[in-house]
Each structure stands twice: as structure tokens, then as C-alpha cells.
């Protein structure tokens, strides 16, 4: 199983993007936002949504770095918000002592 928490923690993005996403988590509405971002009728489980969100975020990051005019800052922030919020919904692994 993929450790999405580690993948998200290892993302290196501009500080402003991350800060904007952190501020937006408070207003994240899974039913509304996830369906729109993933173009789905109903929101998928976090385990199914996260790979799709990660793929979309990687695509957006490549577009941003390339300086492509089709880059959408708003969408990038929305996808980062969804990533952060969905990771929080995953069950925690039992801690080993």
C-alpha cells in the first residue's frame, strides 16, 4: 500500500502554494470539491481519490514549471487542498513501540 502521507510530506512546492492550500483546508467540502476536481458523480474513497489527485497535481506542477499559459494557479491550489484534506481522512497506521 502506498504511504500517501510520506508522498505528500516529500512534495517540494513553492511556499506560497502550500500556505494557500493550508488556509483553504478549512473550507474544503468533500462532496462538492472532490466530485468537481475528479469529474465524478460521487466522491471516491480517500484511497481511490489520492492517486488521481497526485497525478493531477504532478501534471499541474509540470505545467507550472514549463511556464505554459494553460497553467491554472487556482486549480493547483484546489488540488493541493484536496490532497491535504484527503490524507487526513486515511486511517492511521498503528504505532509501534
Amino acid at each position: 500500500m502506498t504511504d500517501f502521507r510520506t508522498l505528500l510530506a516529500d512534495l517540494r512546492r513553492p511556499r506560497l502554494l502550500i500556505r494557500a492550500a493550508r488556509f483553504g483546508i478549512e473550507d474544503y467540502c468533500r462532496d462538492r470539491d472532490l466530485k468537481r476536481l475528479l469529474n465524478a458523480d460521487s466522491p471516491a474513497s480517500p484511497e481511490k481519490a489520492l492517486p488521481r489527485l497526485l497525478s493531477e497535481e504532478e501534471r499541474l506542477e509540470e505545467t507550472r514549471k514549463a511556464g505554459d499559459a494553460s497553467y491554472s494557479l487556482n486549480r493547483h491550489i484546489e488540488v493541493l487542498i484536496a490532497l491535504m484534506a484527503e490524507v487526513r481522512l486515511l486511517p492511521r497506521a498503528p504505532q509501534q513501540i
Side-chain angles (χ1 to χ4, degrees):
M1 184 174 163
T2 305
D3 184 7
F4 293 110
R5 285 184 178 86
T6 303
L7 287 173
L8 192 58
D10 289 343
L11 279 181
R12 298 293 170 240
R13 301 298 182 256
R15 185 176 296 163
L16 190 57
L17 268 178
I18 300 301
R19 287 185 68 196
R22 284 185 184 143
F23 282 119
I25 289 175
E26 181 178 311
D27 295 325
Y28 179 72
C29 176
R30 189 168 200 276
D31 287 336
R32 176 194 66 210
D33 300 329
L34 192 59
K35 285 195 292 189
R36 182 175 45 77
L37 290 171
L38 297 181
N39 230 2
D41 292 333
S42 62
S45 67
E47 292 85 358
K48 291 182 180 178
L50 282 165
R52 293 178 63 193
L53 289 168
L54 280 168
S55 175
E56 176 66 7
E57 195 283 330
E58 288 173 8
R59 186 191 68 75
L60 287 163
E61 180 64 6
E62 288 173 9
T63 305
R64 181 187 73 80
K65 283 184 171 180
D68 193 323
S70 68
Y71 173 70
S72 170
L73 176 63
N74 291 341
R75 181 156 178 88
H76 201 166
I77 292 170
E78 290 173 339
V79 170
L80 285 169
I81 290 168
L83 274 170
M84 292 176 182
E86 292 297 312
V87 163
R88 291 179 176 189
L89 297 175
L90 291 174
R92 292 257 180 207
Q95 294 197 0
Q96 297 178 3
I97 299 175

